[in-house]
Amino acid sequence: MIAYYEEVLKTIRDSMESIDKTVYDSLVDQCMETIRSGGKIIASGLGKNVPICEKFVGTLNSFGIDARFLHTNTAVHGDLGMVGEKDLVIVLSKGGNTVETVDLISHLLERGTNTWLFSFAKNGKSAELLPDDKILMLDLDNEGDEWDIVPNNSTTVNLIVLQGIAIEMAKRLEITLDDFKRNHPGGGIGAKLRGEQLWS
């Protein structure tokens, strides 16, 4: 079993090392420009990428950074109304070939929205719609299951990258612990920040 985890960690590490630093830095810079200009960060995904997007949005919200989740499937059924002209949208799609993903990106581009794609497939249809400097393309040796098909390592990598962006944004915006405390009054974290003794 330990060997399995070691292989997963290696796969994730190799994937992270494949990130184009220039593209990544540009994404973070544009996220910052978006927030400072009064826009919001929107994450969109399907299937197992849905909770990944929601975690990212939740982390940004806990820092007081305006962010929303846009389900790729329901976007074209009215949810596109949440996208404003100052917003930045990050679309997650491993292969980039699902009809809903391609459709969403096309509509976002028609609206002139600052659109980004996270993908593991260089030849995906979604990647063909965007310039290279708007695509965070990642390598992935395998998903970690016996069929190499279960969304496992890919979603983990997406989560790590998005959380890294959230933490970096909070740092650049000089979010303080008091800011975080104001937004997180409940649960064990809220109690800890109030200095309360928790049950052991």
Side-chain angles (χ1 to χ4, degrees):
M1 182 56 75
I2 295 299
Y4 167 78
Y5 293 119
E6 290 175 343
E7 181 61 29
V8 166
L9 289 172
K10 180 182 183 303
T11 300
I12 292 173
R13 186 181 302 109
D14 290 345
S15 185
M16 300 298 295
E17 290 177 352
S18 73
I19 294 175
D20 185 317
K21 185 178 183 300
T22 300
V23 173
Y24 177 85
D25 289 343
S26 177
L27 172 56
V28 176
D29 288 342
Q30 289 183 39
C31 283
M32 292 301 301
E33 292 169 6
T34 297
I35 295 302
R36 286 173 172 154
S37 67
K40 57 185 177 290
I41 307 300
I42 297 173
S44 183
L46 281 170
K48 300 305 183 289
N49 275 320
V50 168
I52 303 303
C53 291
E54 291 176 333
K55 176 64 171 73
F56 172 58
V57 167
T59 299
L60 288 176
N61 289 163
S62 71
F63 288 133
I65 299 172
D66 197 359
R68 311 276 179 85
F69 166 62
L70 174 65
H71 198 292
T72 307
N73 189 42
T74 60
V76 298
H77 297 282
D79 291 354
L80 270 172
M82 76 169 68
V83 182
E85 60 181 14
K86 295 181 179 180
D87 298 340
L88 181 149
V89 180
I90 300 173
V91 180
L92 272 58
S93 180
K94 181 185 176 183
N97 289 316
T98 55
V99 174
E100 298 93 339
T101 301
V102 175
D103 199 23
L104 172 59
I105 291 176
S106 297
H107 285 293
L108 289 171
L109 293 177
E110 288 177 3
R111 296 161 70 98
T113 304
N114 187 1
T115 306
W116 283 74
L117 171 69
F118 278 26
S119 182
F120 297 85
K122 295 179 175 62
N123 297 319
K125 294 179 181 178
S126 293
E128 296 175 358
L129 298 175
L130 294 164
D132 291 343
D133 60 359
K134 292 287 186 178
I135 303 171
L136 194 71
M137 190 63 65
L138 301 123
D139 293 337
L140 190 73
D141 290 335
N142 59 78
E143 283 286 12
D145 63 281
E146 60 180 314
W147 310 293
D148 188 23
I149 196 170
V150 178
N152 181 42
N153 289 339
S154 59
T155 52
T156 300
V157 169
N158 280 337
L159 177 61
I160 292 172
V161 176
L162 288 173
Q163 289 297 104
I165 291 172
I167 297 300
E168 177 62 22
M169 289 182 68
K171 184 186 301 182
R172 293 192 190 186
L173 290 168
E174 299 182 343
I175 304 296
T176 67
L177 185 57
D178 283 339
D179 294 327
F180 182 78
K181 178 179 178 180
R182 188 178 308 112
N183 298 328
H184 206 308
I189 290 177
K192 181 177 181 180
L193 291 173
R194 291 192 298 274
E196 297 177 4
Q197 181 67 40
L198 300 180
W199 291 100
S200 59

